[in-house]
Amino acid sequence: MISINSSEEKPLLYGEQNAENVDSEQQPYVVHYPHHGYRSYKWRWFVLATLSVANTSNGMIWISMSTVSNYAADYYEVSLSAINWLSVVFFILTIILGLPAIYILNIYGLKVSLLLATWLNALGQLVRVLSQFDTTWGFTMVMVGQSLAACAQPFLIFMPVQVAEEWFPDGQRTTATTVASTGISVGILLASSICPVLVSHHSQIPLLNEVIMVPAAVAVLMATFGIRSDCPPTPPSSSAAAESANVQPFMQGIKEVASLLSHIK
């Protein structure tokens, strides 16, 4: 446990940066907690919004073709089962890339992981948009784009807990995790509601792809220009400070899980 009183120096920081040296542009976003010495940054809501938009976009990409599968099959001149694979590929790649995504998040941090996820998501949807210009390889391009977006999902579904842990005080962690985690469900709901309205003929599939591109582009812009660091200069709570100081190495965690599994009968 970390004990801090008002007469002591500032609490433990993430990294070596001192809270007093926070960039002048960040100072307006600081909320002081004088009784504990920790600080919670208003910028945390932007970080949460970025992750939520990315999750929403990913959910829309995931399910959009399935909501208008008949029209998509006609447009790309493939079977309905082929269209169904556009959503199944998300399950497959999320399972395959689950552990690598956790490793990258653990080793390289939130900023790199969020940038990687949003760019994969946006590039995947961009390839889907470009598929309308190639009648021969159109469906292949859609599958490639869908697969790129699917590669982003393991990062996005594991990040809410880390964002809540590193950016939010204890009393707001549950709310932050819930908001970010429900982004994919919101995206599925939006796609299920909007896509059937947008598409009443197979010739309107390009319009669907262009509309779905908008939230993907917004998410990648927010991440690229708005996410400056993995965590705030000062931890938002004593538990966040303790957790950041005691990060368990990835392989050690895997070994401990494996040892626990060996005791299950």
Side-chain angles (χ1 to χ4, degrees):
M1 177 172 296
I2 297 176
S3 177
I4 296 176
N5 57 54
S6 58
S7 63
E8 294 177 340
E9 295 182 355
K10 295 298 180 182
L12 291 174
L13 304 178
Y14 287 90
E16 299 180 354
Q17 181 181 7
N18 191 288
E20 301 300 330
N21 297 325
V22 175
D23 192 298
S24 59
E25 294 181 0
Q26 293 182 318
Q27 288 291 353
Y29 302 106
V30 177
V31 179
H32 295 271
Y33 289 91
H35 297 294
H36 302 285
Y38 296 105
R39 296 181 179 183
S40 184
Y41 294 76
K42 292 182 180 179
W43 197 249
R44 69 191 185 278
W45 298 111
F46 179 86
V47 177
L48 180 63
T50 301
L51 180 56
S52 297
V53 172
N55 266 320
T56 299
S57 169
N58 194 253
M60 294 179 74
I61 294 171
W62 179 9
I63 209 70
S64 57
M65 288 296 180
S66 297
T67 61
V68 290
S69 55
N70 290 332
Y71 297 125
D74 290 342
Y75 182 79
Y76 292 109
E77 299 180 346
V78 295
S79 64
L80 284 174
S81 61
I83 297 299
N84 289 335
W85 274 101
L86 293 175
S87 58
V88 174
V89 72
F90 267 75
F91 294 109
I92 296 172
L93 290 175
T94 297
I95 293 171
I96 293 174
L97 298 176
L99 285 178
I102 295 173
Y103 176 81
I104 292 173
L105 187 59
N106 183 273
I107 298 299
Y108 296 102
L110 178 67
K111 179 181 178 180
V112 169
S113 300
L114 188 54
L115 284 171
L116 180 59
T118 53
W119 274 101
L120 282 170
N121 190 64
L123 287 173
Q125 183 55 28
L126 180 60
V127 172
R128 284 188 15 161
V129 171
L130 295 176
S131 68
Q132 64 185 287
F133 301 110
D134 192 324
T135 56
T136 303
W137 297 96
F139 182 72
T140 300
M141 293 179 67
V142 169
M143 182 59 78
V144 170
Q146 196 80 355
S147 298
L148 287 172
C151 290
Q153 190 170 89
F155 294 94
L156 295 173
I157 62 177
F158 295 140
M159 269 190 269
V161 173
Q162 187 157 345
V163 168
E165 176 185 300
E166 295 183 348
W167 282 89
F168 286 82
D170 293 343
Q172 296 176 352
R173 286 187 180 183
T174 301
T175 301
T177 302
T178 302
V179 170
S181 298
T182 55
I184 289 182
S185 298
V186 171
I188 292 173
L189 176 62
L190 287 174
S192 300
S193 304
I194 295 173
C195 294
V197 175
L198 287 174
V199 180
S200 57
H201 188 268
H202 69 266
S203 62
Q204 295 171 315
I205 291 295
L207 173 63
L208 180 149
N209 281 328
E210 291 164 3
V211 170
I212 300 296
M213 184 70 223
V214 173
V218 171
V220 78
L221 288 173
M222 291 175 72
T224 302
F225 297 106
I227 305 302
R228 303 173 183 175
S229 61
D230 295 330
C231 49
T234 306
S237 66
S238 60
S239 59
E243 288 163 4
S244 69
N246 296 283
V247 176
Q248 187 180 53
F250 178 79
M251 290 309 299
Q252 181 182 339
I254 295 296
K255 290 177 182 177
E256 289 187 6
V257 171
S259 64
L260 290 173
L261 290 175
S262 66
H263 291 85
I264 298 176
K265 296 181 180 179

